Amino acid sequence: MISINRLASAGLAAACLFVAACGDDDGPSMTTDTGPRDTGGGDTGADAGPRDGGGGGDFDLADPTATLDLRVVPGGMLTVEIEAENAGTADWTAGSVTLVYGGDPSFAEGDLALGADTASGARGTFSGTLRAPMQPGRFVLSWQAEADGEAFGPMIDAAVEVTCSDGVFCNGVERFAGGACVEGSDPCDDGQACTTDRCDEASGRCSRTLGADCASCRMDCEPECTGRSCGPDGCGGTCGDCAADSSCALGPGMCRPVSQPGTCANPLPLLPMGTTLVGRHLVAGDTSSDAIHQLVPNCNDTSTAVELVYTFTTTERLGLDVRSIGYDTVLFLRTDCTDDTTPAATVSCSDDSSPPGDYGSRLAVALDPGTYFLVVDGFDDTQLGPFVLDLRFVADGCVPACDGRYCGGDDGCGGDCGTCEDGLSCVDGRCVMDPCVPACDGRECGDDGCGGECGTCSGGELCVPATGTCDSFPECDHDRPTCTPACGDDAFCGTDCACHPVAGAMPDLVIDATRLHDEVIFEDLMVAPDSCAIVEECVGGTGMRRLLRFSVEAVNQGTATLFVPPPPERPDLFQYSACHEHFHYQGFARYELVDSTGAVVLTGRKQAYCMEDTQQVLPGPDVGCVKVYSCDEQGIQAGWSDLYGNALDCQWLDVTGLPAGDYILRVEVNPGRAFEELSFENNIAEVPVAIE
């Protein structure tokens, strides 16, 4: 399948054309839909239906197809040709049957004339030109067929973008500044003389090779290795290496033997000898002292965190519910401790779950008799410290069903989902103060601390959670942005409604298509009514669901940080996840499944991300050496990526009930263009998937 980006860069004439509302999409498309458009009543945009031709038959139109460029320069002329079937009994006569323009009024001279008389059942061709506005942006064009001034048939819509871009990435991104189109510079040039920068037009990707004496990251800090013989130096380097029979304990920065307690060679007993597994147990540990890094979690293959390894053996079939609490943990269970690559060796892996929330992890699995290795790991090398494992083993392989519930309820195995500490009571699966006194003094909105709200905002205002006050925030039409005051001659108005220097550094998001392709898996998941997947609308229903899981790694290949203000300052940009207990940036990504005809058959609900630095993916002396951004202060540095692994909640499409066949998985980052980038035309990745 040829992607839109490839078509655009090849300069082909194509269009978003269909009878259904094209404006519901966020960009040009090749999709065709011949169904009528329902606008909820009224004349404008409604299907006028067939019209009685008064003795000469009735007028109707079907199966429209259109040809027009995906883009037009500001103030330029756009040629449009629409072919449609004469579905009525009356013949079409040139001059009396016309497609009358009724789309965005910014476009002028939009009526399309019928080229020749068209008999009933034949196809006729309408053509004409429209003058584009000087305002860059994405627009929807619409036409209504009329015969002697009376409307018939459905509305015909097409999407087009008014832009200075010529669709070629590697020659630079053209901008509209000072009332005219301005040429762009090399999009992959990092401005460093010691690097060789390459641009791949087909993928819109940049790559970089370091020359001699060229630093792989920005050396703008003093290494801190006092009292440390190994581990990170805080500047992208290390304080030293360990011998082959040892590894670095990141906490103290000292080399420790790979055979020490808590490793695969010498795992810690999960429970004291003689302890019966069935029941609930609490196990405390600490990875900040002597824990070392040897293993890579299957659900987070970028982690270089230290880990502790526990082991246990069961002679009977058991169910296990285990939760890790303390820091941003990754929890996984294996039958072969050191096997990082064989899928069957890992029974289960979790990177964030609810419960326990707050970046903790949870495994809920059925276990056959055998020996297992339970590993407590971290999201990255900054995540280590004290933790608690909350374990529950259940007889006969029964797995507690507690997704989304922290306490109370029926877990389906003769127990509940947990108890609350003294002074707390379980309300709707959450522990709250008992008695709970709403904390609303001085707050007009937001959480009252007891599961309720202190009030709601009105008049278009939003609640600022940090202060409990209602406030208004600047509105921006990201499709057709305007800047006030107007930008100068050397700046352009970005989709964020802010002025940006034409030659200034910009972030540029692309998707790692290789990871997307390689990390597609299918899973069956039992979904309870109070599951987080239901709360966050990530599945189409309860019960057993068939999920298409995949990993998305968003790479910032630009030369500037993608930075967003914190949630307390701009709550309008974020969505609070009660399940995960932190804020997600709204609309960061869109997931779609496309069938063999090009039609979108499924759209995912996982659109909000916690943007953070996961790993450095591009080298260069101006790329940061260490992680800066996290879920608490969100952003992605230039040269770094943000990885959402396929084990995370809602990192999937619910394909339950879809027919077997070949499909295309399409992922787009920044689909609503809420933040300005160097280019939006390289934001989509597509990979084939087969549903059996």
Side-chain angles (χ1 to χ4, degrees), residues 45 163 198 205 222 251 306 317 363 370 375 380 387 400 421 444 474 494 556 624 628 650:
T163 175
R198 297 178 179 85
R205 292 293 302 267
E222 289 292 328
V306 296
R317 184 167 171 79
L363 304 177
V375 185
D380 57 32
F387 64 86
E421 299 176 357
E444 57 181 324
N556 181 3
V628 173
C650 298

Side-chain angles (χ1 to χ4, degrees), residues 4 7 14-18 22 25 27-32 70 159 598 600 666:
I4 295 172
L7 283 171
C16 173
L17 51 108
F18 42 98
C22 195
D25 193 16
S29 169
M30 291 291 294
T31 304
T32 300
L70 290 168
V600 176
R666 177 187 297 158

Side-chain angles (χ1 to χ4, degrees), residues 280-635:
R280 187 185 181 198
H281 315 274
L282 296 178
V283 176
D286 191 342
T287 54
S288 64
S289 51
D290 287 333
I292 62 176
H293 168 66
Q294 285 183 295
L295 306 178
V296 177
N298 300 67
C299 56
N300 183 2
D301 64 6
T302 64
S303 176
T304 57
V306 296
E307 70 272 342
L308 279 180
V309 181
Y310 295 87
T311 189
F312 65 93
T313 299
T314 176
T315 58
E316 59 181 319
R317 184 167 171 79
L318 296 176
L320 171 63
D321 182 312
V322 54
R323 310 170 189 185
S324 54
I325 307 165
Y327 54 90
D328 192 349
T329 58
V330 179
L331 198 61
F332 56 102
L333 186 70
R334 288 181 178 169
T335 55
D336 184 336
C337 187
T338 59
D339 192 341
D340 291 334
T341 58
T342 306
T346 297
V347 179
S348 185
C349 186
S350 170
D351 179 6
D352 289 355
S353 186
S354 175
D358 198 23
Y359 310 112
S361 300
R362 171 178 177 257
L363 304 177
V365 293
L367 305 176
D368 291 324
T371 297
Y372 295 88
F373 300 90
L374 180 63
V375 185
V376 182
D377 212 314
F379 177 75
D380 57 32
D381 62 11
T382 67
Q383 298 301 312
L384 70 169
F387 64 86
V388 173
L389 292 176
D390 188 343
L391 302 125
R392 184 172 173 224
F393 288 97
V394 184
D396 300 323
C398 186
V399 180
C402 292
D403 185 27
R405 296 191 66 87
Y406 289 68
C407 59
D410 180 2
D411 68 358
C413 295
D416 56 37
C417 292
T419 57
C420 299
E421 299 176 357
D422 292 342
L424 302 178
S425 62
C426 188
V427 177
D428 295 329
R430 300 283 175 139
C431 293
V432 298
M433 296 293 295
D434 183 20
C436 191
V437 179
C440 291
D441 289 347
R443 299 178 65 86
E444 57 181 324
C445 62
D447 186 3
D448 66 0
C450 296
E453 298 286 332
C454 293
T456 57
C457 300
S458 60
E461 292 187 327
L462 296 175
C463 186
V464 181
T467 60
T469 57
C470 295
D471 203 350
S472 58
F473 297 89
E475 294 185 2
C476 177
D477 183 347
H478 304 298
D479 281 332
R480 275 164 273 182
T482 56
C483 292
T484 304
C487 304
D489 291 345
D490 58 351
F492 69 95
C493 184
T495 59
D496 55 356
C497 295
C499 295
H500 301 272
V502 170
M506 296 293 297
D508 188 29
L509 287 184
V510 294
I511 299 169
D512 187 329
T514 300
R515 183 183 291 277
L516 179 64
H517 176 275
D518 293 347
E519 298 185 11
V520 169
I521 60 174
F522 288 89
E523 177 188 58
D524 293 319
L525 180 69
M526 179 61 69
V527 178
D530 48 7
S531 166
C532 282
I534 291 291
V535 173
E536 298 194 348
E537 300 181 332
C538 302
V539 290
T542 59
M544 188 63 71
R545 311 301 297 184
R546 183 67 168 165
L547 305 180
L548 167 61
R549 287 184 173 271
F550 48 91
S551 298
V552 174
E553 184 171 13
V555 176
N556 181 3
Q557 67 173 14
T559 54
T561 291
L562 174 58
F563 174 76
V564 292
E569 293 181 11
R570 291 295 304 274
D572 56 313
L573 302 179
F574 293 87
Q575 171 185 327
Y576 182 74
S577 171
C579 282
H580 299 110
E581 299 182 329
H582 55 255
F583 285 93
H584 290 157
Y585 186 88
Q586 295 191 82
F588 183 78
R590 178 170 57 199
Y591 306 152
E592 295 175 330
L593 199 64
V594 182
D595 68 13
S596 58
T597 70
V600 176
V601 297
L602 189 62
T603 299
R605 303 296 181 91
K606 180 63 179 178
Q607 297 180 337
Y609 267 48
C610 160
M611 285 190 289
E612 63 178 320
D613 296 330
T614 298
Q615 63 176 339
Q616 183 188 346
V617 293
L618 284 174
D622 203 34
V623 175
C625 293
V626 295
K627 175 175 180 171
V628 173
Y629 296 99
S630 66
C631 287
D632 296 325
E633 184 180 1
Q634 298 191 27

